[in-house]
Amino acid sequence: MCGIVGYVGEKDCADILISALSKLEYRGYDSAGIAVFENGKIQVEKTKGRLKDLEEKLKAGHKPVGHCGIGHTRWATHGEPSDINSHPHGNKRVSVVHNGIIENYIKLKAFLIKKGYEFISETDTEIVAKLLDYYYKGNPVETIAHVISEVEGSYGLGIVFADFPDKVFAVRKDSPLIIGAGENENFIASDVPAILKYTRDYYLLEQNEIAVITKDNIEIFDIHGSTIEKELQHANWDEEAAEKGGYEHFMLKEIHEQPTALKTTITPRVMENMPFLEECGITSDMLNRFQKIYIVACGTAMHAGVVGKYVIEKLARIEVTVDIASEFRYREPVLTENDLVILISQSGETADTKAVLRLAKESHVTTLSIVNVKGSSIARESDFVIYTHAGPEISVASTKAYSVQLSIMYLFAFQLAYAKGEISKERCSELTKMLTNIPTLIEKTLEVEAQCQYVASKLVNADSLLYIGRGLDYALSMEGSLKLKEISYIHSEAYAAGELKHGTISLVTKTMNIIAVATQDKLFDKTISNVKEVKARGARVILVCKEGVEMTEDVADYMVHVPKVEDDILMPLITAVPLQLIAYYTSVLRGCDVDKPRNLAKSVTVE
Ligand code: G6P
């Protein structure tokens, strides 16, 4: 989704804005622009396309020189990607960049047209700019407070007023914004990586707080204009963590970071070989109260929830429902006070997941979030939070965030099962020990990289793929399939292997490629029977299974072997790796933009 930056300091503002925006490219965008004060006047430059297109435009035309301004990468919602629809929007008096959606923009536009305003773009953002202009009587904070009282929807806004050429203003609701505190320079940004080159200190802007930054001052106000004191946050990772570090793509780097990310996430949650979630407020007494669990999330995070469902139900014998957040929020779910709603989100800002959290809270249901980004909205608003420690995930396709979400699902399931008396202390401890050994096993699993590259070379011209598996292998297949389709643009679907013959097998001919995942001993023979069924219809089969398994060519064309875990229940953590690598190399071989796939955004802050 859109990226916002703002800068006031002594350096060249345009350069800083573009460099900061480049750190937000992962969010997904289709146009870019800046507004910089030059000789006291707001100069706007913007274009459809990538940041390099903006840079070329500045080089060929006019690059505004100044020390204060705002910048934006746009992910189109209202109006196609075009020069005109690009941000900033406004006029000589005020200029605005926006992330989010203004829901009542039609009504506001009609009002402004009556007042004599003309509109040139199709964006909802232009309405905000004109509304600010309409209400502006010399006091920016007052004006912003007035405007946000009329605007419905979500917004992160960076604003400059011509009367204040040394100030950047910011406000947010349901779209993230941070205020970076540097030395003789201050920033606004949608996310921490944008400022890391300059500072690791920042403030988190809360709902409807208004920030005013100058070169050496940051002030934050509530909507009544009263000053708010805030705690300074410190990013505990540096710029390098948000860089590629020698890898060709962030995705590959992040796949390789999984052992470390898992270790960092698991270690503080294990004490004497037992799960230890008490530091997050999760006690056995509390866990015993729940009779039903809902896991709600979007995309990859939802897939982590599907694995969680299998594991929790198997071990803790409690009913778990997994839901897509955008469905759950409108399906009038039956929630009672003995339910637990678990929200999983890497960014902690996903609009639909956040809406479910609020719905659960309105229904007085306990909420637990599993979130990677510290201080994000979902983390702050839920009753309990367990942070995953994946570090910054830049590639749009989620990999390490998925693995750490899985690891928390396991720890939670172990603790819950033990609290409910469904597993003994010995069994709980044994499983926990196995989990702590997973990072080492993943190091070993990464050795399949060359094999996955080879498999990818066989998939590069595929039109369509099916991922099949049973039980946990099916749960994992969903994620494998999503990975492949989102970055390689090859159609693919995950299917429960046993369900194939109820319809989908009619698609299977010799042009169909099948990735079969078979790591669960109990279900192995059954999955292999399904593999034989598709093989008999000419499909090309890639079998992902545990080391030691051998199959003849009439079952599988290619095999990828992964290390065994003592208990099959933990296999998804291992098997995720080859599926990620197959998707990665297929995307590379097809020449796709691996880290920034078309039309996708890392953090989906609009509905
Ligand atoms: C977007 C991203 C996915 C992610 C999903 C949920 O679609 O591209 O990678 O899984 O949002 O994001 P969250 O931040 O809530 O985990």
Side-chain angles (χ1 to χ4, degrees):
M1 298 274 116
C2 310
I4 290 178
V5 296
Y7 174 77
V8 197
E10 287 164 356
K11 300 176 186 144
D12 184 283
C13 182
D15 286 348
I16 300 240
L17 293 176
I18 289 171
S19 139
L21 284 173
S22 73
K23 303 292 188 269
L24 298 179
E25 281 194 297
Y26 70 89
R27 295 170 68 85
Y29 72 106
D30 42 54
S31 37
I34 55 171
V36 173
F37 279 103
E38 187 177 47
N39 302 323
K41 287 200 177 111
I42 302 172
Q43 292 289 341
V44 175
E45 296 293 339
K46 53 188 188 175
T47 181
K48 177 186 160 181
R50 294 280 174 187
L51 279 171
K52 66 171 176 16
D53 299 309
L54 178 63
E55 284 181 289
E56 269 159 31
K57 186 170 180 184
L58 297 185
K59 222 185 263 170
H62 175 70
K63 179 183 162 200
V65 178
H67 306 285
C68 175
I70 50 179
H72 192 258
T73 44
R74 173 174 187 251
W75 190 84
T77 56
H78 292 62
E80 56 165 13
S82 69
D83 289 358
I84 288 195
N85 287 335
S86 307
H87 300 207
H89 288 282
N91 55 22
K92 282 185 187 150
R93 298 211 304 166
V94 59
S95 192
V96 174
V97 291
H98 169 217
N99 172 24
I101 287 184
I102 306 301
E103 283 161 8
N104 57 340
Y105 83 104
I106 294 176
K107 195 175 114 203
L108 294 173
K109 190 169 180 176
F111 166 78
L112 287 163
I113 287 171
K114 259 198 219 148
K115 298 289 171 195
Y117 281 93
E118 282 172 16
F119 289 84
I120 52 170
S121 79
E122 300 156 273
T123 66
D124 50 346
T125 308
E126 196 182 351
I127 279 91
V128 180
K130 303 264 152 97
L131 211 54
L132 284 163
D133 183 74
Y134 176 72
Y135 285 118
Y136 180 66
K137 301 279 176 292
N139 181 332
V141 173
E142 238 174 65
T143 311
I144 293 168
H146 191 143
V147 166
I148 60 176
S149 72
E150 294 201 354
V151 158
E152 288 163 20
S154 62
Y155 44 82
L157 295 168
I159 309 162
V160 286
F161 288 87
D163 288 349
F164 298 86
D166 57 351
K167 284 185 178 162
V168 169
F169 301 84
V171 66
R172 74 155 203 118
K173 183 179 152 258
D174 294 339
S175 281
L177 266 190
I178 58 146
I179 310 299
E183 239 174 71
N184 293 324
E185 57 185 3
N186 290 312
F187 305 80
I188 66 166
S190 299
D191 200 358
V192 178
I195 60 162
L196 282 179
K197 192 170 171 189
Y198 314 99
T199 177
R200 282 161 76 172
D201 294 331
Y202 64 94
Y203 296 98
L204 288 165
L205 206 58
E206 305 273 348
Q207 297 283 74
N208 284 333
E209 288 178 350
I210 302 165
V212 183
I213 66 164
T214 61
K215 175 167 83 69
D216 34 37
N217 198 26
I218 294 173
E219 283 181 296
I220 297 172
F221 301 96
D222 66 14
I223 42 165
H224 308 294
S226 309
T227 315
I228 299 171
E229 291 302 323
K230 295 199 85 92
E231 197 188 324
L232 195 62
Q233 310 285 325
H234 187 73
N236 51 13
W237 33 276
D238 56 15
E239 206 200 342
E240 212 179 290
E243 296 290 338
K244 284 188 207 148
Y247 286 93
E248 201 180 334
H249 298 100
F250 280 111
M251 183 176 175
L252 188 60
K253 177 185 173 230
E254 288 159 6
I255 291 173
H256 281 265
E257 280 172 349
Q258 291 181 109
T260 311
L262 280 163
K263 227 178 273 168
T264 322
T265 301
I266 297 168
T267 309
R269 278 63 183 264
V270 173
M271 201 185 261
E272 292 167 359
N273 290 322
M274 289 291 279
F276 176 70
L277 299 174
E278 273 84 352
E279 57 137 17
C280 311
I282 297 161
T283 61
S284 297
D285 280 355
M286 167 201 157
L287 289 175
N288 264 321
R289 203 166 57 73
F290 302 123
Q291 284 165 10
K292 168 139 203 204
I293 297 175
Y294 291 92
I295 304 179
V296 192
C298 302
T300 291
M302 193 274 291
H303 291 155
V306 181
V307 172
K309 171 189 163 74
Y310 279 82
V311 176
I312 297 169
E313 286 190 341
K314 184 178 165 69
L315 296 175
R317 311 306 300 151
I318 174 169
E319 192 188 343
V320 182
T321 304
V322 183
D323 269 273
I324 296 167
S326 56
E327 284 297 311
F328 188 85
R329 64 185 288 194
Y330 295 117
R331 80 163 162 83
E332 298 182 29
V334 183
L335 291 170
T336 72
E337 58 181 21
N338 290 327
D339 298 339
L340 171 68
V341 172
I342 302 181
L343 296 314
I344 309 179
S345 176
Q346 188 283 128
S347 63
E349 298 293 348
T350 303
D352 284 316
T353 311
K354 205 176 348 177
V356 171
L357 167 66
R358 290 178 185 166
L359 175 83
K361 294 198 81 173
E362 276 163 27
S363 313
H364 309 290
V365 175
T366 309
T367 53
L368 161 67
S369 64
I370 297 167
V371 173
N372 196 45
V373 176
K374 208 175 128 199
S376 54
S377 307
I378 293 174
R380 277 180 289 158
E381 289 179 35
S382 47
D383 298 319
F384 300 94
V385 55
I386 306 178
Y387 280 113
T388 53
H389 299 303
E393 191 179 64
I394 307 294
S395 176
V396 166
S398 184
T399 52
K400 61 176 177 171
Y402 174 72
S403 304
V404 293
Q405 285 160 356
L406 289 191
S407 70
I408 296 296
M409 287 278 96
Y410 282 105
L411 283 168
F412 178 81
F414 300 165
Q415 178 151 343
L416 180 65
Y418 178 53
K420 291 184 90 68
E422 292 293 339
I423 57 170
S424 66
K425 189 167 183 192
E426 290 65 40
R427 172 87 173 124
C428 186
S429 159
E430 186 184 77
L431 285 166
T432 310
K433 252 196 263 172
M434 284 178 213
L435 182 68
T436 49
N437 194 34
I438 291 286
T440 313
L441 279 179
I442 292 188
E443 304 264 12
K444 199 163 163 241
T445 313
L446 284 163
E447 290 169 13
V448 297
E449 187 161 346
Q451 255 173 287
C452 294
Q453 200 168 0
Y454 178 71
V455 168
S457 72
K458 303 293 166 195
L459 296 177
V460 74
N461 294 318
D463 292 326
S464 185
L465 249 110
L466 285 177
Y467 282 71
I468 62 168
R470 285 172 179 257
L472 281 166
D473 289 330
Y474 170 51
L476 179 71
S477 295
M478 291 181 184
E479 177 55 12
S481 168
L482 174 66
K483 275 302 73 86
L484 184 91
K485 78 178 127 196
E486 67 181 337
I487 58 171
S488 74
Y489 316 145
I490 298 175
H491 169 259
S492 110
E493 225 180 307
Y495 232 78
E499 182 66 10
L500 273 180
K501 49 172 112 40
H502 298 290
T504 307
I505 202 162
S506 68
L507 293 175
V508 178
T509 63
K510 62 178 184 340
T511 59
M512 179 63 87
N513 292 279
I514 308 261
I515 297 194
V517 185
T519 67
Q520 304 293 305
D521 285 353
K522 260 195 185 162
L523 298 166
F524 185 80
D525 291 343
K526 294 202 182 301
T527 304
I528 295 301
S529 303
N530 300 128
V531 169
K532 286 181 179 160
E533 286 160 7
V534 292
K535 198 76 191 88
R537 283 151 185 90
R540 174 155 59 185
V541 173
I542 294 138
L543 180 66
V544 181
C545 55
K546 292 194 281 194
E547 59 196 1
V549 173
E550 285 313 329
M551 285 288 152
T552 48
E553 269 174 24
D554 58 333
V555 178
D557 298 84
Y558 312 102
M559 295 182 69
V560 178
H561 290 105
V562 291
K564 282 185 206 163
V565 190
E566 279 163 73
D567 196 303
D568 283 352
I569 204 166
L570 287 157
M571 281 308 293
L573 278 162
I574 302 294
T575 321
V577 175
L579 300 193
Q580 293 164 346
L581 286 167
I582 290 171
Y584 170 76
Y585 280 108
T586 309
S587 173
V588 170
L589 292 172
R590 285 167 68 90
C592 303
D593 192 347
V594 179
D595 286 331
K596 298 188 286 288
R598 69 182 177 214
N599 305 338
L600 295 182
K602 180 74 185 159
S603 173
V604 179
T605 50
V606 297
E607 210 183 309

